[in-house]
DNA sequence: TAGGCATGAAATCTATTTCG
DNA sequence: CGAAATAGATTTCATGCCTA
């Protein structure tokens, strides 16, 4: 339908009707869905069926042992955040933070009240009086004046970010080993910070921005202590990572067994 | 074509308000 | 009064447009 014809039809039908009726839209959603998470979810499903997990492991030349009883595949992996949620003592929470950050003013921070401790790290929206808050809720803008040393500032900032990052798919091959998969459709790798004020603060201190993949590595290996292989799943060449093994969606889907999959999944995959 | 900037949905957490 | 709903702040994830 050409533009003018469409326009006159839209005016003629201005009194009502659905988008589908107005546009005479007959396509099935799987023909034009462009949601990255949807693709990741389809991939997740495929990993759980047939022999696809084994096939994927061989595709990426995974050479570490896999313990059947410890295997787990997770979508939107938020392990660090959820470990924090399991902690119920302020003493333990504070000790965890201070041992991982090892700040110069350690003694001072040990002595602060709960409220003062939260305030030091600028917990948002409001520092709590009752319990040590999740580092994921620290605010760079609020603590930047409290942490003057650049190295410590970067350390605290990466620590804070680590509590919020969620790799798309993580495969635990054992409790101590994993594969971390970052899925990209249109966009390329992101970097932190993204907020303009925070970027300016990084510039002022002469600090480089932190790549998304580098933060994932820090979270998986340094904080969770899991020996991790990283995979980047991409559609376009220019999205490839400098540091991580990159695979194309097309090449991965081509090797997976789609037996038993409904038609819409095949169609979603066929478009990639 | 990469980076800057604008935009938006969804989620979490806390404080406040409302209601039984 | 205490539980439940609501509002606000902040963060994440993302896309698109413009420009150097």
């Amino acid at each position: 339908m050409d533009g003018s014809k469409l326009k006159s039809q839209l005016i003629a039908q201005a009194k009502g009707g659905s988008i589908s009726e107005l546009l005479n839209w007959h396509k099935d959603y799987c023909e034009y869905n462009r949601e990255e998470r949807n693709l990741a979810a389809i991939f997740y499903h495929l990993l759980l069926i047939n022999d696809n997990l084994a096939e994927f492991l061989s595709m990426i030349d995974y050479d570490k042992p896999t313990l059947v009883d410890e295997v787990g595949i997770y979508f939107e992996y938020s392990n660090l955040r959820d470990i924090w949620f399991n902690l119920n003592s302020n003493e333990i929470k504070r000790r965890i933070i201070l041992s991982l950050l090892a700040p110069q003013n350690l003694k001072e921070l040990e002595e602060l009240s709960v409220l003062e401790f939260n305030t030091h790290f600028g917990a948002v929206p409001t520092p709590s009086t009752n319990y040590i808050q999740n580092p994921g809720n620290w605010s760079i803008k609020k603590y930047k004046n409290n942490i003057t040393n650049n190295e410590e500032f970067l350390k605290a900032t990466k620590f804070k970010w680590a509590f919020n990052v969620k790799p798309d798919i993580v495969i635990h091959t054992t409790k101590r080993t994993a594969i971390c998969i970052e899925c990209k459709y249109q966009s390329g790798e992101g970097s932190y910070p993204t907020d303009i004020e925070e970027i300016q603060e990084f510039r002022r201190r002469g600090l480089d921005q932190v790549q998304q993949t580098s933060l994932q590595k820090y979270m998986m290996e340094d904080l969770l202590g899991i020996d991790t292989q990283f995979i980047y799943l991409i559609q376009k060449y220019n999205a490839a990572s400098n540091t991580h093994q990159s695979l194309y969606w097309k090449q991965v889907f081509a090797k997976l067994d789609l037996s038993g999959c409904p038609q819409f999944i095949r169609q979603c995959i066929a478009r990639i």
Side-chain angles (χ1 to χ4, degrees):
Chain A
M1 191 186 304
D2 66 50
S4 58
K5 192 175 165 195
L6 174 61
K7 196 173 168 188
S8 55
Q9 185 177 329
L10 286 175
I11 291 167
Q13 297 183 351
K15 281 183 180 167
S18 64
I19 286 268
S20 310
E21 286 164 349
L22 293 171
L23 295 174
N24 199 20
W25 192 260
H26 293 305
K27 285 183 186 172
D28 200 347
Y29 187 31
C30 60
E31 296 175 61
Y32 56 92
N33 180 304
R34 58 192 194 91
E35 175 60 46
E36 174 206 77
R37 285 183 176 120
N38 191 65
L39 200 58
I42 287 174
F43 178 56
Y44 179 81
H45 169 71
L46 293 179
L47 284 177
L48 294 175
I49 63 166
N50 305 331
D51 280 325
N52 286 334
L53 177 58
E55 178 58 41
F56 182 70
L57 293 181
S58 105
M59 214 183 300
I60 63 171
D61 299 317
Y62 191 69
D63 56 5
K64 299 200 180 70
T66 299
L67 296 176
V68 177
D69 291 344
E70 295 185 9
V71 165
I73 311 182
Y74 302 95
F75 191 72
E76 300 272 340
Y77 184 85
S78 313
N79 197 354
L80 189 58
R81 182 199 67 188
D82 296 338
I83 287 176
W84 182 269
F85 197 74
N86 266 266
L87 305 179
N88 48 23
S89 133
N90 280 337
E91 288 66 41
I92 292 176
K93 289 177 177 176
R94 191 193 301 237
R95 200 185 319 139
I96 290 288
I97 293 171
L98 293 179
S99 14
L100 290 165
L101 291 184
Q104 283 171 348
N105 56 346
L106 177 69
K107 284 279 176 291
E108 193 184 313
L109 293 175
E110 278 171 345
E111 299 302 319
L112 294 181
S113 71
V114 168
L115 176 62
E116 290 166 336
F117 187 86
N118 288 325
T119 304
H120 174 77
F121 291 106
V124 288
T126 310
S128 165
T129 322
N130 303 319
Y131 55 90
I132 300 289
Q133 282 158 292
N134 179 344
N137 278 40
W138 294 353
S139 157
I140 296 176
K141 287 170 204 162
K142 293 188 178 174
Y143 68 64
K144 66 181 185 186
N145 295 326
N146 301 338
I147 306 178
T148 46
N149 178 282
N150 286 348
E151 200 181 320
E152 291 201 0
F153 172 82
L154 181 60
K155 205 167 176 181
T157 302
K158 284 175 70 178
F159 186 70
K160 163 209 152 51
W161 284 333
F163 279 83
N164 287 323
V165 295
K166 288 190 210 172
D168 294 322
I169 295 173
V170 169
I171 303 170
H172 278 196
T173 47
T174 71
K175 285 181 184 170
R176 287 277 152 261
T177 54
I179 298 153
C180 174
I181 304 165
E182 181 61 24
C183 302
K184 292 292 178 194
Y185 189 50
Q186 300 281 353
S187 62
E189 177 176 3
S191 59
Y192 307 91
T194 55
D195 179 272
I196 184 66
E197 231 180 283
E198 295 173 359
I199 290 171
Q200 282 163 1
E201 180 66 14
F202 265 60
R203 283 198 193 127
R204 191 181 71 73
R205 292 175 183 256
L207 296 171
D208 289 334
Q209 281 189 264
V210 179
Q211 295 298 110
Q212 188 179 28
T213 46
S214 134
L215 195 64
Q216 287 178 359
K217 194 171 165 62
Y218 167 70
M219 192 266 290
M220 293 298 295
E221 301 199 318
D222 297 350
L223 296 183
L224 291 177
I226 296 175
D227 180 5
T228 309
Q229 180 167 337
F230 293 86
I231 300 291
Y232 220 57
L233 269 180
I234 56 171
Q235 191 197 25
K236 296 185 299 185
Y237 173 73
N238 63 6
S241 162
N242 299 323
T243 50
H244 288 27
Q245 182 180 356
S246 298
L247 294 174
Y248 290 100
W249 284 108
K250 220 184 182 79
Q251 87 188 89
V252 170
F253 282 141
K255 290 204 174 179
L256 298 181
D257 178 2
L258 303 186
S259 318
C261 283
Q263 190 56 31
F264 81 92
I265 285 187
R266 295 165 192 271
Q267 256 177 292
C268 280
I269 291 172
R271 287 194 299 117
I272 303 308

